[in-house]
């Protein structure tokens, strides 16, 4: 009897020594088998009473050897497996652990609004024209009927390139009109989005760079009514189906007659009062019938063709849409600001 039991304990000791463990799951099985509350050694301790007296001590010693060997092995493996990065159960690679969060980018609010404007005009057949940011005086001013002594030409407003009075950073996307009219034949139906530059003091309301979208439609018999309907369509797509617009007479050197378009914003909250200066109306763009002199300057016969044009600032639309009160936020690339737009397209 005691020979068998001795052999059994010896076998356990051999198994403890020989067991190969390479991951956390195997280690846990090992712990349960040799050290857990129902481990295989326990019943053998109870067998001591059946061992003949002169071998009891030897038997007890052997059992303790197994227990100690199991404990040592367990402790040692626990540290080495832990250090090699084993986490949880299964393999060293824990497939159930939550993955690391991949930071999600977001579109810039200016891009979001611009995409929307482009989409609205594309639906009614306008194509996109993109042109250079470094322009010459002729395309930016002269062709657009802006006389030599016009204040917009003042060095204060325009960034001229070094040592040049001819090359400048375009002050408006109007320059694209001149580029397109001199290179394409009517009918012309384009919108021209892009960056523009003005030598202005940077503040919460103005910046030395911003974005505009220019619109130009030239064909036979294009009327002021066509322009009004096009802009009404735009305002309703942009600001809601029931948006009201009004056209206020204005002046621009490149259009005649000229107007500024307001949308009715509402006068319900304190913010509405502040944004609309107490009128409820908000100016969103300048527009008008292309001045015949501009058509002539660009080689288009004003007797045959007429057209309308409009121009709007994109930052302004973005600020209104997202209630942004400081234009500088649109240029600082602060991710805390930008990530508020994640998910918006
Ligand atoms: N170029 C004007 C500006 O920068 C905006 C503008 C007004 C463009 C009337 C137009 C227009 O095409 O017809 O403020």
């Amino acid at each position: 009897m005691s020979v068998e039991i001795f052999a059994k304990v010896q076998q356990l000791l051999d198994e403890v020594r020989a067991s190969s463990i390479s991951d956390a799951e195997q280690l846990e099985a090992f712990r349960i088998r040799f050290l857990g509350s129902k481990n295989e050694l326990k019943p053998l301790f109870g067998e001591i009473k059946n061992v003949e007296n002169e071998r009891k001590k030897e038997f007890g010693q052997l059992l303790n050897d197994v227990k100690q060997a199991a404990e040592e092995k367990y402790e040692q493996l626990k540290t080495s497996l832990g250090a090699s990065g084993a986490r949880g159960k299964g393999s060293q690679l824990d497939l159930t652990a939550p993955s690391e969060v991949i930071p999600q980018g977001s579109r810039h609010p200016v891009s979001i609004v611009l995409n929307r404007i482009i989409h609205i005009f594309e639906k009614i057949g306008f194509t996109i024209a993109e042109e250079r940011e470094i322009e010459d005086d002729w395309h930016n001013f002269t062709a657009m009927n802006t006389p030599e002594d016009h204040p917009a030409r003042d060095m204060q407003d325009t960034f001229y390139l070094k040592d040049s009075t001819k090359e400048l950073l375009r002050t408006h996307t109007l320059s694209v009109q001149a580029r397109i009219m001199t290179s394409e034949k009517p009918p012309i139906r384009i919108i021209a989005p892009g960056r523009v530059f003005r030598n202005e003091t940077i503040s919460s309301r103005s910046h030395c760079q911003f974005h505009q979208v220019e619109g130009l439609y030239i064909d036979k018999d294009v009327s002021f009514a066509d322009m009004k309907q096009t802009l009404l369509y735009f305002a309703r797509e942009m600001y809601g189906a029931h948006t009201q617009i009004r056209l206020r007479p204005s002046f621009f050197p490149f259009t005649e007659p000229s107007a500024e378009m307001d949308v009715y914003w509402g006068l319900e909250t304190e913010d509405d009062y502040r944004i609309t200066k107490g009128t409820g109306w908000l100016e969103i763009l300048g527009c008008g019938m292309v001045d015949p002199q501009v058509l002539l300057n660009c080689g288009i016969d004003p007797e045959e063709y007429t057209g309308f044009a409009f121009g709007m600032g994109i930052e302004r639309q973005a600020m209104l849409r997202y209630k942004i009160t400081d234009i500088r936020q649109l240029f600082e690339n602060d991710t805390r600001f930008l990530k508020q737009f994640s998910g918006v397209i």
Side-chain angles (χ1 to χ4, degrees):
M1 165 68 198
S2 77
V3 175
E4 268 173 41
I5 275 190
F6 267 84
K8 201 167 179 185
V9 179
Q10 186 59 50
Q11 193 194 332
L12 277 182
L13 183 60
D14 294 343
E15 278 184 42
V16 166
R17 289 190 177 138
S19 47
S20 73
I21 289 163
S22 57
D23 62 37
E25 196 176 57
Q26 290 170 357
L27 183 62
E28 178 65 359
F30 176 88
R31 188 192 64 78
I32 292 169
R33 182 165 174 214
F34 298 108
L35 302 166
S37 58
K38 290 181 186 156
N39 68 61
E40 290 183 23
L41 285 171
K42 261 193 184 164
L44 292 170
F45 275 103
E47 295 286 342
I48 291 186
K49 60 180 183 301
N50 301 327
V51 177
E52 49 272 56
N53 281 342
E54 55 276 24
R55 294 199 76 186
K56 272 194 176 30
K57 193 177 172 205
E58 192 191 338
F59 184 73
Q61 190 64 54
L62 193 57
L63 278 174
N64 277 330
D65 286 351
V66 181
K67 194 176 169 205
Q68 207 180 336
E71 277 170 353
E72 272 169 18
K73 184 153 187 159
Y74 177 72
E75 285 308 320
Q76 184 203 334
L77 282 165
K78 199 166 80 170
T79 1
S80 65
L81 284 177
S84 72
R87 269 187 283 159
K89 297 179 177 171
S91 67
Q92 277 171 273
L93 178 68
D94 180 5
L95 296 176
T96 65
S99 62
E100 277 176 28
V101 178
I102 300 168
Q104 199 195 4
S106 57
R107 268 190 214 280
H108 194 281
V110 167
S111 302
I112 297 170
V113 170
L114 173 58
N115 286 347
R116 194 175 162 88
I117 296 171
I118 289 174
H119 182 66
I120 293 170
F121 282 105
E122 270 179 348
K123 281 204 279 188
I124 53 169
F126 281 74
T127 54
I128 295 164
E130 281 185 305
E131 269 296 342
R132 62 208 75 187
E133 291 174 356
I134 295 177
E135 255 308 348
D136 56 45
D137 179 274
W138 190 83
H139 289 88
N140 195 75
F141 291 129
T142 312
M144 292 294 116
N145 209 23
T146 306
E148 288 282 334
D149 52 2
H150 195 279
R153 288 190 172 216
D154 196 303
M155 295 292 278
Q156 300 283 304
D157 297 320
T158 308
F159 286 115
Y160 285 92
L161 295 204
K162 211 172 174 205
D163 303 327
S164 173
T165 49
K166 290 281 168 239
E167 280 186 309
L168 45 85
L169 297 181
R170 66 180 176 191
T171 58
H172 44 201
T173 43
L174 194 75
S175 57
V176 183
Q177 285 195 23
R179 291 268 164 205
I180 296 293
M181 283 195 267
T182 49
S183 62
E184 285 178 26
K185 295 216 167 325
I188 292 170
R189 192 159 37 173
I190 54 116
I191 53 167
R195 200 161 22 170
V196 300
F197 308 86
R198 287 184 198 175
N199 194 356
E200 291 201 21
T201 312
I202 298 174
S203 72
S204 64
R205 298 181 65 87
S206 60
H207 208 281
C208 59
Q209 57 167 340
F210 55 99
H211 297 77
Q212 288 187 327
V213 176
E214 190 71 21
L216 178 67
Y217 182 25
I218 296 176
D219 204 347
K220 289 178 177 154
D221 301 323
V222 175
S223 69
F224 196 90
D226 294 329
M227 179 183 84
K228 190 176 162 188
Q229 197 57 34
T230 305
L231 295 178
L232 176 65
Y233 155 79
F234 165 71
R236 294 200 160 162
E237 290 284 312
M238 189 76 186
Y239 293 102
H242 301 292
T243 303
Q244 292 178 54
I245 62 163
R246 74 175 183 190
L247 291 170
R248 271 181 299 105
S250 184
F251 172 79
F252 298 107
F254 29 85
T255 44
E256 181 58 38
S258 306
E260 279 170 296
M261 185 174 96
D262 300 340
V263 292
Y264 191 70
W265 185 256
L267 253 191
E268 276 155 33
T269 67
E270 230 176 90
D271 266 351
D272 295 343
Y273 264 86
R274 189 177 48 78
I275 295 170
T276 67
K277 299 192 183 104
T279 64
W281 291 94
L282 202 68
E283 186 224 313
I284 60 162
L285 54 82
C287 57
M289 300 304 290
V290 179
D291 193 300
Q293 187 60 49
V294 170
L295 294 176
L296 267 182
N297 292 346
C298 298
I300 293 175
D301 182 0
E303 298 293 327
E304 197 180 352
Y305 292 104
T306 51
F308 66 77
F310 55 88
M312 67 184 106
I314 304 177
E315 278 77 5
R316 183 167 168 77
Q317 321 276 326
M319 288 170 81
L320 292 172
R321 210 177 152 76
Y322 299 115
K323 298 201 168 14
I324 298 165
T325 49
D326 192 326
I327 194 172
R328 288 169 293 199
Q329 289 188 300
L330 293 169
F331 295 96
E332 278 163 1
N333 282 335
D334 183 335
T335 51
R336 290 169 304 176
F337 168 75
L338 294 176
K339 73 181 175 199
Q340 297 177 86
F341 300 91
S342 77
V344 190
I345 44 169

